[in-house]
Each structure stands twice: as C-alpha cells, then as structure tokens.
Amino acid sequence: MSSPTTSAARSSRAMPTIKFKAQADRFAPWLALLVLLLVWEAACRLLKLPSFVLPSPSAILAATQKVGPGAWAEHIFATLRVTLMGYGLSILIGIPLAIALASSRVMSRTLYPLLVIVQSTPIVAVAPIIVVVMGAGDLPRVFITFLIAFFPIVVSCVTGLLATPEELVELSRSLGASRAREYRNIRLPYAIPHLFSALRISITLAVIGAVVAEFVAAEKGLGYFINFSTSMFQVPQAFAALMMLVVISLLLFHLIGLLQKIFFPWSLPKAQQS
C-alpha cells in the first residue's frame, strides 16, 4: 500500500506528461502541415519541377502577393456571396422538407426517390443547362450551389427526427400535445446533432457548388479565377486561389461548429462541451 507522499510524487511526475500530450494533440495538425510544406518545397527545388507542372509553396506565395489584396477581396466576396446564398436556401428548403418527409410516409415514398435522382445527377453536366435556362447573374449559380448542398441536410434531419424515442412521442400524445408541439419540443431537439453534422458537411459542399457554377458562367470569383489562370498557364495563381478556397471552407466549417457550441452545447458529445 503506497503512502500519501508516494502518490503525490507520482502525480507530480505525471503532470508534465499529461501537459505534453495535450500540447502535442493541439499542435500536431500544424506540425504535419509544416512538414508537408517543407517536403513539397524541397521536392520542387531538388527535382527542378517547372511551375506550370507543380509550383512550390514559395512560388504560390509570390503569386498570391502579385495578384494584390483588392483583386483577392473581389473574387473572395463573389464566391462567398454565392456560397452563403445557396447554403441559406438549402437550409430554408431542406429543413421544412425533412419535416414533411418525416411526418408523412406517403410523401417520403413519393419524394425521396426523386431527391436521390437529383443528387445522383452529375451537377457538372447539368450546370450549363441551368445557366442557359436561368440566364446570367447570381440566380443559376445560387441554384447550382443549392442543388449540391441541400441533400445532406434533408437526409440527416429526417434521420434525426425519426430517431426520437417512441416513448417520448407516445407520452406527448397522451398528454394532448399537438403535432406542431411534438416536433418543436421533442423531435427537433433530438435532430439537432444530426442536423449540425449535415450543416458542417453542406457548407463545404456549398463552396464546391459555387466554384462549379463559376467554372460554367461567371466574371469573377475564385472558381472563375482558377479557370482563367489555368487557361493562361498561370498555375501558381490557380494554386493560390485553391488555397484560398481551402481556407474559406475550413473557416466556414469551424464557424458552424462554433455556432453549435454557443447555441446548442447540450447537443455536443461530452468531450467537446468543454
């Protein structure tokens, strides 16, 4: 049997190890990214790869500075505007549609196959047709973004609504709760974790949708800039725009997680609530 002094000594020795592991977990992704960039830079220099084949990180950084902040701001704003408009439309339509599918078996059997067909259709192939039908402007780009982003929201929200324990549903009905109150107070809270998982996925898909739409018809935006740069063999500029898209997607992804943590902390796993 160990004495209190021995236990205290062991605890004091374990504290630095715990702190080191916590710091390692915190900075491991950044260290991995740094190593990747160093290997990438070294490979480009040692193999003497031309910039139009694979530009080095230093060449991408130089191309980023060459474009200028004003031009970047214009392209980023154009892509963000289409992304957020399409994403917002997917939420406004996806959640009510999910509630309708969850509440009606007939509607689910009728509409769900159609939604699967729409999702299975290659948007890249349909995008030119959408542009021809809807004309120029933001409308076709927002609609393309919506088509790519809305399906995960519908599916995950339906899954969450139907995952509500039947005991709670029967209890609410026995107490005379209306259908609207059942969904508002019981089913929707149970669907929140599923919904936010879908929202995080859909925001990255919305960025992809905006870029696909800008490939087809746009005069500004990061997708347009990538298309223009590659056509002029300015591959470092195209990679710089690609890095901008990655940063935007990561920021929006973490923003959705932050909103869940602020407004619905109870819906997070215990390890993420702190």
Side-chain angles (χ1 to χ4, degrees):
M1 186 173 181
S2 60
S3 63
T5 305
T6 306
S7 301
R10 290 177 180 175
S11 299
S12 62
R13 287 196 298 267
M15 287 299 294
T17 304
I18 296 173
K19 290 182 179 180
F20 175 77
K21 289 182 178 179
Q23 294 295 327
D25 290 340
R26 185 176 181 179
F27 293 105
W30 298 103
L31 291 175
L33 178 61
L34 178 61
V35 171
L36 176 63
L37 292 176
L38 291 175
V39 171
W40 184 357
E41 181 74 26
C44 290
R45 291 179 181 272
L46 292 175
L47 299 178
K48 296 181 179 180
L49 296 175
S51 61
F52 61 85
V53 175
L54 181 65
S56 63
S58 59
I60 296 172
L61 180 61
T64 304
Q65 297 172 344
K66 182 180 178 181
V67 173
W72 282 124
E74 183 180 11
H75 291 302
I76 290 172
F77 177 75
T79 301
L80 266 179
R81 185 181 69 250
V82 174
T83 298
L84 296 178
M85 290 172 66
Y87 183 65
L89 185 63
S90 67
I91 294 174
L92 291 176
I93 294 179
I95 294 178
L97 181 59
I99 294 174
L101 294 176
S103 60
S104 173
R105 182 176 179 84
V106 175
M107 187 170 289
S108 178
R109 291 175 61 87
T110 303
L111 294 181
Y112 204 84
L114 297 177
L115 297 177
V116 174
I117 292 173
V118 170
Q119 183 65 20
S120 302
T121 304
I123 299 298
V124 177
V126 181
I129 301 175
I130 295 174
V131 172
V132 170
V133 172
M134 293 187 171
D138 284 341
L139 181 60
R141 294 194 286 271
V142 171
F143 186 69
I144 291 169
T145 304
F146 159 76
L147 287 180
I148 293 180
F150 89 104
F151 190 73
I153 295 176
V154 175
V155 173
S156 294
C157 192
V158 169
T159 302
L161 291 171
L162 296 180
T164 307
E166 286 298 324
E167 299 83 5
L168 290 178
V169 176
E170 293 298 330
L171 178 61
S172 68
R173 290 175 181 174
S174 66
L175 295 175
S178 63
R179 197 68 177 269
R181 193 168 184 180
E182 172 191 323
Y183 272 83
R184 185 176 65 251
N185 294 342
I186 299 177
R187 289 191 182 273
L188 281 176
Y190 267 91
I192 289 295
H194 297 80
L195 178 59
F196 269 94
S197 296
L199 291 176
R200 283 194 290 269
I201 296 171
S202 292
I203 192 63
T204 58
L205 294 178
V207 176
I208 295 172
V211 172
V212 169
E214 289 170 353
F215 280 162
V216 178
E219 296 180 353
K220 54 186 175 181
L222 292 174
Y224 163 80
F225 187 75
I226 291 173
N227 205 14
F228 173 78
S229 298
T230 52
S231 67
M232 301 297 292
F233 291 96
Q234 298 292 331
V235 180
Q237 288 186 4
F239 267 84
L242 181 62
M243 296 303 169
M244 296 282 185
L245 287 172
V246 171
V247 171
I248 290 172
S249 296
L250 290 175
L251 289 176
L252 293 175
F253 182 88
H254 287 291
L255 177 61
I256 299 300
L258 180 62
L259 291 176
Q260 183 182 9
K261 195 171 185 178
I262 293 173
F263 294 105
F264 305 97
W266 49 265
S267 66
L268 293 166
K270 290 184 178 180
Q272 300 179 18
Q273 290 180 7
S274 57

